[in-house]
Amino acid sequence: MKRWIGLCLVVGGCGGAGGAQTPTTAPSPVATAVVASTRYDPMPVCPQRQGALDAAAQRLQAGELERAYGGLVAAREACPVDHALLEKVIEVAIEQGRFEYADVLLTTDQDPRLDPLRARLALARRDVVSARALVSQAETADPVTARRLYDRALIAFEREQEVGPGLVYLAHADRQPRPAPIGKYSLWPSLDLQGNRGWVVADERGHPHRWYQGHTARFLTEDLLAVDSTLVHLESGVAHTEWSPFRPLLSEDGRLVLAHGASLRILRTADLGAVARIDGTAIGNAEHGRWLGSDRVALWSEQGALIYDVKTNTNVLEVSGKVALSSSGRYLASLGAFPGTGRLVVHDLETVREAFGADVPVHGWSRGLAFSADERRLVYLPNDGTVQAFTVPGGVRQRLGRPSSDPEYYPEKEIRETYVTNDGYVCANRSSHRYGTCEHDVLFSLTGRALHKQGAYQLKCLAGPKGMRVVRFPRGPLSAKHRQVLPSLELPAVGACNVALDDDGARAAWLEGKEVDGFLEDPVLVVFDPRSGRVIHQAQLPTGKRHVLWSLSYRLRFSGEKLTLDFDDRVVHLDAKSGKTVTLKREPPFPRAATLLGAGDGQAWTARMAWDLRHLHARHITTEPQPDDRHSILPNGAVMVADGGRELARITLYDADHALVRYPDGTLEPRGFAPDELGCAFGDVVAPWEVCMHRLSPVQPYEARWAAWSDGHR
């Protein structure tokens, strides 16, 4: 293309016929030379021009559009009226897809010499290629063409998503292999480089497609993903965000999804379009929800419950007070309480009519209400040492117990959950703390059976495959008299048990150990027959770091013939038949920033390791270096290398091989990461690291910057 050299000193662009100009102000001080043109008046030449054009030519030859563009823009800041630089900037901007920026430059400068570039811009806009298509082309292209395509994809992603790129870690957070796709997509947990938990969604080829920050994720349909309280339609990219601590619920026919929390919405799964917004004023912030078939939904909280009909767009039933829903969703019980007395009402939701009602005593605000799994009984615990049981749907009442001040029933222990088993036991999750435990108290037997409160055996109420069940357990310990059984803790996750029972109820397991000054020692895993107390297997656990005895949760769980527990940084698997154990070291999620204790003398260190900050190599520490004022540990755990206000970088150290260097100009340099472990996140859309590499990472590597920085402080 023929280069033209022009000069416009009038703000707002060039005017006049043929583009000729009469300067109205003095030439720019950066213009130090003058060349002659046979067609135009002599023009000032910017001294940075040739160097910038040569550097751009080299970068374009390597396919580096992003860096060529950046160098040219920087040169234009020093040479704002140089037409040769202007033309080259517009040319590169069009090729990379920066259509808006090129349009601004061409609109500002109406010089007819730029008309070929205007035609090229119109053609490029007409033939625009999507970002995903550019990435696909780059995967099979030669290195130079691939680099050019990735730099074009960078701008395409920004244009499509309307957000710039960020860095995200795409490897499996638990160092597991990436799962195979199920249907169109696969899903695995991941992290960003600040340690925030997220989820990678990959396409059918296993290529990362999207990344969402959140603690939990699950597919509701093949295309519909729920991440915490965000619903995402993956095919269209439409998202619905509604703050809620509760999972979105899919209707039985898969057509509709309920998003409940501060507001209550029913959405179509096909496109997340709104079907209805439910008026939940009567129950406040809905804490639980459930579909009753495909056209009705039940919502409830501590304030009450409502039943909403999608077809008629109405609340067909609203009740206030404590509520319980039967296992099939047919019956709804509600207790409207007043000081000293309350009204218990059971509704049949098939007919939306009252099945029966009864007046019951009320003592305080902590009370329990539950149906049995077979829906034949409803129990009410007023938390005063008594229980009232009703047949369903008949409403025949049975009273057991008597008001008592026994500490075992004293209302200081709040009733978290209530259960009634099919064989007539009444259990409750009771605690004086905020959270309950996975081991529930057996309070009553509606059939009059003894509860074995004394003697060598006790009853435990534990979850089973068909609901709650009561099993006779030995009191223990079983391995040795000098040990004791570790109780389950009161934790938010009530499934975090120190006792486990298999589905058949034939094998149970717990942990035993010695208490020495409040700490656990000599831990043993015991597998036994709960009916006879006979020990089946016994396994000594590895002694790890010391733990306070009453602050441990090992998450015992049976899965078929395998018993699993978590112990410190290990996972122990025991074959329930043979008794053989396999202990695996549980790798921490990666990357995990090192906990630095200090920095100085060109080093940073933890209790066991030290890093040479010149080369970012780690070694085992022998003598602790001395801190100095050129290094400081930041609140986020990174080490800042700076002197006298001249900052080199902020460095997050992960392990001996991995680090992330952040520079004051906003660029960053990942060290030790494989290319497929990193990605560019444009909002929730993920692209390969190669797409944003030349935007986010610097041209000059860390060692060269360190050398220049160090030379400046000698």
Side-chain angles (χ1 to χ4, degrees), residues 401-568:
R402 60 183 180 179
S404 171
S405 60
D406 189 309
E408 187 174 354
Y409 297 102
Y410 201 66
E412 283 183 358
K413 277 198 169 186
E414 299 172 6
I415 298 176
R416 300 296 178 190
E417 297 288 345
T418 304
Y419 308 96
V420 54
T421 65
N422 290 340
D423 53 356
Y425 286 104
V426 179
C427 309
N429 189 327
R430 301 187 305 158
S431 172
S432 54
H433 301 283
R434 180 180 180 184
Y435 303 113
T437 170
C438 65
E439 299 182 43
H440 311 296
D441 298 329
V442 182
L443 300 182
F444 299 99
S445 170
L446 301 180
T447 60
R449 286 173 288 192
L451 298 185
H452 300 287
K453 293 186 178 180
Q454 305 296 329
Y457 289 89
Q458 59 183 329
L459 294 181
K460 284 187 177 288
C461 189
L462 299 169
K466 298 181 180 179
M468 286 293 169
R469 53 187 170 166
V470 172
V471 182
R472 193 178 78 155
F473 263 55
R475 292 191 179 274
L478 301 177
S479 62
K481 291 184 178 180
H482 66 274
R483 296 191 179 103
Q484 59 181 302
V485 179
L486 273 65
S488 298
L489 300 184
E490 295 176 343
L491 295 172
V494 295
C497 286
N498 287 338
V499 61
L501 185 67
D502 69 5
D503 288 348
D504 297 332
R507 282 187 294 256
W510 61 30
L511 286 111
E512 300 179 4
K514 292 190 299 185
E515 181 182 3
V516 178
D517 297 329
F519 290 90
L520 171 66
E521 291 191 3
D522 191 24
V524 174
L525 174 63
V526 181
V527 180
F528 58 93
D529 184 338
R531 297 160 294 189
S532 65
R534 179 179 64 87
V535 174
I536 302 173
H537 301 297
Q538 183 174 313
Q540 191 79 36
L541 296 178
T543 303
K545 55 188 178 182
R546 300 184 77 196
H547 291 289
V548 178
L549 181 64
W550 305 105
S551 65
L552 300 175
S553 179
Y554 293 104
R555 297 188 64 241
L556 269 73
R557 61 265 188 203
F558 276 100
S559 178
E561 297 294 333
K562 184 172 70 174
L563 172 67
T564 304
L565 74 152
D566 300 333
F567 190 83
D568 285 342

